[in-house]
């Protein structure tokens, strides 16, 4: 369905933490103009953990409205409660999202069987294409490739965002899940190599700031042009790393504000970027020729 640079879209906010619909519209327009493959609304980078259910659905609906069919919208609908994830996924379908992205349940550390039953229940409850999301560094829960393969046999589970940074998983997942199962990197630092090894794209934090550059790099990698992909990725390498000097999305929201893309709002318990890291993120923006 979607191959290339998929942005893990920030949720712009006013200084008081309320969602900023005007800036959200502007961000969507930027990605339409840049040729970004798809938008992920209300994922980790979109501060899903601090938006209540009403706000979560509002941001999905608004993103779909602003996209107006010009760019696909994938909605982050994962939760550590299966019932809540089903409710959010229904909301995404009703809002017009083309797919849902479902993070593995966090904090409660389910077994592999629990992960299988959780995702199967959501897939059976809501008829919308679903993408698994494995990010054990945040969830303390690592979905193993064999569990992914079991879930890949369910018709509307179409792919996975694999954010371990472990490139050996690309070949393993492809072997277990087949050629049609979509494999997305959730780690910008290894995303280029992930695609050169057979992945289908990157769900990217960096793309919030450098959408055209990320899409061009992804196109090169997906066509197997290793030399060009590496050349396009090199100026972005500092961003891939330095947007994580503090917890995502702290650095990317600060950088987006510096570039005039949004205001300075962020939700507690996240805080604005510490002054000691500002020069490093600015240098990464300069290296990427964004300022």
């Amino acid at each position: 369905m979607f191959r290339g640079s998929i942005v893990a879209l920030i949720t712009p906010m006013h200084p008081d933490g309320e969602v900023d619909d005007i800036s959200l519209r502007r961000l969507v327009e930027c990605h339409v103009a840049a040729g970004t493959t798809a938008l992920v609304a209300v994922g980790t980078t979109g501060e899903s953990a601090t938006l209540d259910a009403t706000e979560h659905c509002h941001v999905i609906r608004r993103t779909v409205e602003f996209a107006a069919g010009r760019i696909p919208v994938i909605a982050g609908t994962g939760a550590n409660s299966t019932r809540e994830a089903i409710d959010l996924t229904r909301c995404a379908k009703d809002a017009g999202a083309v797919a849902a992205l479902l993070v593995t349940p966090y904090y409660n550390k389910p077994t592999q069987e629990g992960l299988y039953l959780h995702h199967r229940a959501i897939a059976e409850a809501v008829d919308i294409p679903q993408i698994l999301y494995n990010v054990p560094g945040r969830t303390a829960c690592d979905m193993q490739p064999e569990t992914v393969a079991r879930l890949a046999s369910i018709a509307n589970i179409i792919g996975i965002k694999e954010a371990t940074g472990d490139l050996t998983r690309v070949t393993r997942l492809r072997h277990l899940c087949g050629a049609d199962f979509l494999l997305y990197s959730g780690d910008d630092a290894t995303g280029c190599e992930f695609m050169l090894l057979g992945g289908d794209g990157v769900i990217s934090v960096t793309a919030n700031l450098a959408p055209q550059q990320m899409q061009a790099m992804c196109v090169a990698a997906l066509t197997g042009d290793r030399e060009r992909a590496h050349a396009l990725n090199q100026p972005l390498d500092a961003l891939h790393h330095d947007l994580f000097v503090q917890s995502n999305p702290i650095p990317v929201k600060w950088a987006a504000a510096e570039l005039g893309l949004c205001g300075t709002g962020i939700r507690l318990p996240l805080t604005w970027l510490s002054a000691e890291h500002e020069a490093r993120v600015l240098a990464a923006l300069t290296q990427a020729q964004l300022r």
Side-chain angles (χ1 to χ4, degrees):
M1 292 177 70
F2 323 107
R3 301 184 80 240
S5 175
I6 301 170
V7 64
L9 195 65
I10 60 173
T11 298
M13 296 174 181
H14 296 291
D16 64 359
E18 293 304 305
V19 174
D20 179 357
D21 285 353
I22 293 174
S23 293
L24 180 60
R25 182 192 290 272
R26 184 164 59 246
L27 291 175
V28 172
E29 292 298 332
C30 286
H31 286 286
V32 170
T36 297
T37 295
L39 310 171
V40 169
V42 207
T44 302
T45 309
E47 295 176 78
S48 57
T50 57
L51 296 178
D52 65 33
T54 300
E55 293 171 316
H56 198 119
C57 292
H58 170 84
V59 174
I60 295 169
R61 282 194 300 270
R62 284 299 205 185
T63 305
V64 171
E65 175 188 336
F66 298 152
R70 296 170 297 165
I71 184 172
V73 176
I74 302 166
T77 62
N80 59 351
S81 158
T82 304
R83 290 184 179 183
E84 181 181 356
I86 288 171
D87 288 344
L88 291 173
T89 305
R90 283 179 176 146
C91 169
K93 180 181 178 182
D94 292 344
V98 299
L101 177 69
L102 291 127
V103 71
T104 54
Y106 43 87
Y107 186 76
N108 47 20
K109 296 185 177 181
T111 63
Q112 295 300 305
E113 182 66 13
L115 290 174
Y116 171 75
L117 294 172
H118 169 82
H119 285 287
R120 188 183 74 179
I122 302 165
E124 290 175 347
V126 191
D127 184 18
I128 186 175
Q130 297 177 21
I131 300 167
L132 311 172
Y133 177 14
N134 188 42
V135 57
R138 280 191 177 261
T139 63
C141 173
D142 187 2
M143 183 184 293
Q144 295 298 305
E146 291 75 16
T147 304
V148 178
R150 290 179 70 193
L151 289 165
S153 66
I154 299 171
N156 59 327
I157 295 180
I158 63 168
I160 185 169
K161 176 184 177 182
E162 175 58 56
T164 59
D166 179 0
L167 291 171
T168 65
R169 290 208 175 183
V170 184
T171 303
R172 181 76 176 145
L173 287 165
R174 183 61 73 211
H175 171 73
L176 289 171
C177 300
D180 294 333
F181 194 72
L182 295 166
L183 303 180
Y184 300 117
S185 171
D187 178 56
D188 277 309
T190 55
C192 179
E193 199 62 32
F194 186 102
M195 288 180 288
L196 289 166
L197 288 169
D200 294 291
V202 182
I203 297 179
S204 170
V205 176
T206 299
N208 281 282
L209 309 174
Q212 289 176 307
Q213 297 94 316
M214 277 298 299
Q215 182 69 341
M217 182 275 287
C218 288
V219 169
L222 290 170
T223 56
D225 191 339
R226 178 175 295 272
E227 183 176 351
R228 178 166 171 75
H230 283 167
L232 291 167
N233 193 57
Q234 192 281 326
L236 302 173
D237 190 60
L239 279 178
H240 295 336
H241 291 87
D242 294 344
L243 291 180
F244 298 90
V245 292
Q246 289 188 306
S247 297
N248 178 47
I250 291 171
V252 70
K253 291 197 88 172
W254 183 88
E258 283 292 303
L259 296 178
L261 297 172
C262 65
T264 57
I266 199 164
R267 285 274 177 97
L268 286 171
L270 298 179
T271 53
W272 208 232
L273 185 70
S274 300
E276 67 206 69
H277 298 301
E278 291 180 3
R280 183 172 172 182
V281 178
L282 285 173
L285 291 171
T286 300
Q287 181 176 315
Q289 299 182 340
L290 296 173
R291 63 185 292 272

